[in-house]
Amino acid sequence: MTERHSFVLCDIAVVDGTGGPVREHAFLEVLGARIARIGDMADYAPRDGVEEVRLPGHYVMPGLIDAHVHLSGGRAEVDDQEIGVVAEPMGLKAMRSVYEAQQLLKRGFTTVRDISWNGFYLKRLFVEQQIPGPKVVACGPGLTRTGGHGDLFQFTPNYVAEHGVWGIVADGPEEVRKAVRRNLREGADAIKIWVSGGDNWPHDRIEDVHYSMEELRACVEEAHRQKGTIVAAHAENREAIEMAVDAGCDTIEHGEEIDEALAKKMVERGTILVPTLELIINWYRDFIPLGDEPRAPVRPEAFLYRDLYQERTEEFGEAYSAASEASFRTALAAGVKIALGSDTVYEPLTKYGEYSAREFRALVQYGMTVPQAVHAATAVSSEAVGMSHALGTLEAGKLADLLVLRADPTSGADVVYDAAHHARVYCDGKLTVRDGEFVW
């Protein structure tokens, strides 16, 4: 039997992810991949065979978790959006996705939940521990109806089936069931389904519901048949959100039309909100900018004539942002469980790692206390990705995924956001990142 390496971090402060107070003058011992014990330095005594790592003035917290990323491997700007991603070879996108995942790890995100084909294989690659990478909790491609948010209208259906890294088209309960089974066959930890539109192009409207309740229930029933599988529902309008909650979806992605009644129902059901605030609140600033002279597309896209002459002004965009913020604050006030999810989708529009850190800062900017944001980015996010039994808090027996900081992460959002404060990252008890660089 291989002897497991043991070490202890001494003279540290512990932020355990539960939302409790900082534990000063502490030590944390790791045996192999797991936390062995946490205690007060007053009770610490050196032991033979246990390496001591003294880090006075440092704070240790659970590794951060981003519950909503797309390791798509594509490159695009606002003007070409998905065209710039889908037109590239799948192999090239898969190789780029390794870099993307590693950038997240360098910013302290030791676990991510991915929606793309690449996640199935990244999880296998990184678990071998031949190269550094975060734990990739894989959804695989999300389920979309024909013409839905994940169906890329710029290309023929056959081309989308071959090259669409984000979505798998499924219509009707039986196709939905088969798509879920197909993803589970590849090792899906979770299933993503686009219940509403997403406003990525002129006929993909946020206010439309894309799946029937029969289809949605088929998805949830089939996913939950394999116990422990999480169902994540992209739902941006109130009707879609309530359908997803009623159908038994585990997480609501985006969810920018939550009122008090819906928040109460989410609390009762234990439904987790992954609000992707940085993206949603800045949608009409960064992704679909509105102004006096919007740029005309090079060629006409598919559109709805009845919507063609509706003017979307900057005032419209600001009203949407305000309503999205109000929805988040309503959920927060009601006690809805809220996890961190960035919806990082491709570069250069959303830089991997940086955009996840910005989402942490946004949680605080729009209403959370810093300790609440730490709790959201660790313990609650571990629930959202179905890994709370092993991750998300610092407790004996849990995996030693650790972020070591030079300042108190509960003192201000910039401590977690600014990589200059990051001293070390441990994955499964292995020192992986030091001062932003891999030590592997």
Side-chain angles (χ1 to χ4, degrees):
M1 180 183 294
T2 302
E3 185 174 348
R4 292 180 292 173
H5 176 64
S6 184
F7 67 93
V8 58
L9 304 180
C10 296
D11 301 318
I12 58 170
V14 172
V15 179
D16 64 11
T18 66
V22 178
R23 185 172 183 174
E24 304 280 357
H25 309 297
F27 70 89
L28 184 150
E29 185 176 334
V30 175
L31 177 59
R34 295 184 181 271
I35 298 169
R37 59 186 180 128
I38 301 171
D40 297 326
M41 282 304 296
D43 301 323
Y44 174 71
R47 293 192 296 143
D48 290 341
V50 179
E51 177 190 3
E52 288 187 13
V53 181
R54 294 196 172 269
L55 294 170
H58 287 69
Y59 292 75
V60 180
M61 64 177 287
L64 299 166
I65 299 171
D66 190 328
H68 190 136
V69 301
H70 302 267
L71 300 171
S72 58
R75 296 293 178 267
E77 294 280 8
V78 171
D79 290 342
D80 56 0
Q81 287 200 54
E82 283 74 11
I83 294 179
V85 177
V86 180
E88 293 200 284
M90 290 289 275
L92 176 58
K93 288 182 283 193
M95 288 186 281
R96 279 210 197 105
S97 70
V98 176
Y99 151 82
E100 294 168 352
Q102 290 183 331
Q103 290 301 106
L104 282 151
L105 181 54
K106 284 185 175 182
R107 289 300 285 260
F109 287 85
T110 55
T111 300
V112 299
R113 183 175 65 178
D114 170 64
I115 303 99
S116 79
W117 279 106
N118 294 332
F120 286 148
Y121 314 115
L122 287 169
K123 66 183 285 189
R124 301 182 197 180
L125 175 68
F126 294 140
V127 82
E128 292 175 341
Q129 296 196 347
Q130 299 301 309
I131 61 172
K135 293 175 175 65
V136 178
V137 177
C139 293
L143 275 60
T144 179
R145 73 173 191 187
T146 297
H149 184 58
D151 185 7
L152 307 174
F153 75 95
Q154 304 99 322
F155 299 94
T156 64
N158 288 341
Y159 191 91
V160 172
E162 290 290 327
H163 300 276
V165 70
W166 293 299
I168 182 170
V169 176
D171 298 309
E174 291 313 305
E175 282 192 12
V176 166
R177 287 185 189 278
K178 188 162 187 177
V180 171
R181 291 176 181 179
R182 182 181 179 186
N183 281 357
L184 293 175
R185 177 183 183 272
E186 293 298 317
D189 302 288
I191 299 295
K192 166 77 175 290
I193 183 166
W194 279 288
V195 187
S196 77
D199 204 28
N200 274 43
W201 41 82
H203 68 314
D204 171 40
R205 303 180 300 183
I206 286 173
E207 60 265 30
D208 290 335
V209 176
H210 279 188
Y211 272 116
S212 69
M213 180 58 87
E214 185 182 13
E215 291 167 311
L216 188 52
R217 288 192 190 280
C219 173
V220 174
E221 180 183 272
E222 198 59 43
H224 285 174
R225 196 184 301 280
Q226 186 158 304
K227 298 188 189 313
T229 305
I230 297 291
V231 178
H234 168 112
E236 298 198 57
N237 62 68
R238 193 193 188 286
E239 182 181 358
I241 298 166
E242 187 159 36
M243 284 176 62
V245 174
D246 288 345
C249 293
D250 301 286
T251 69
I252 301 297
E253 313 299 305
H254 314 303
E256 59 263 47
E257 287 191 3
I258 296 173
D259 56 24
E260 290 183 2
L262 196 46
K264 180 181 178 183
K265 181 178 285 192
M266 291 176 70
V267 171
E268 291 170 351
R269 303 286 178 88
T271 312
I272 298 172
L273 173 65
V274 185
T276 64
L277 286 175
E278 183 70 18
L279 177 134
I280 289 295
I281 290 179
N282 294 301
W283 184 251
Y284 290 111
R285 300 165 186 159
D286 297 343
F287 288 80
I288 305 180
L290 304 174
D292 295 333
E293 297 181 5
R295 292 182 62 177
V298 174
R299 56 184 172 79
E301 301 174 343
F303 67 92
L304 301 174
Y305 243 123
R306 58 186 176 273
D307 291 347
L308 184 62
Y309 304 106
Q310 292 180 357
E311 186 178 12
R312 285 193 170 182
T313 62
E314 288 179 315
E315 289 75 18
F316 167 85
E318 291 305 316
Y320 170 81
S321 297
S324 300
E325 179 182 344
S327 173
F328 171 72
R329 290 184 182 275
T330 297
L332 180 62
V336 173
K337 291 182 180 180
I338 296 173
L340 183 149
S342 66
D343 206 359
T344 306
V345 63
Y346 48 75
E347 292 192 353
L349 199 59
T350 54
K351 292 286 289 182
Y352 288 86
E354 161 68 15
Y355 209 70
S356 298
R358 284 171 61 177
E359 181 64 21
F360 180 86
R361 195 170 57 179
L363 291 172
V364 177
Q365 179 181 353
Y366 296 112
M368 279 189 173
T369 65
V370 181
Q372 282 178 320
V374 169
H375 183 58
T378 55
V380 182
S381 287
S382 73
E383 290 186 56
V385 304
M387 291 292 292
S388 61
H389 60 288
L391 304 169
T393 57
L394 301 185
E395 301 175 63
K398 288 201 172 180
L399 292 170
D401 284 4
L402 313 173
L403 174 58
V404 182
L405 301 145
R406 296 186 175 91
D408 181 357
T410 68
S411 65
D414 279 345
V415 174
V416 168
Y417 170 75
D418 188 348
H421 294 293
H422 295 201
R424 297 175 172 222
V425 178
Y426 290 84
C427 293
D428 293 328
K430 180 179 176 64
L431 178 60
T432 304
V433 180
R434 182 166 51 211
D435 296 326
E437 298 296 333
F438 288 127
V439 286
W440 193 258

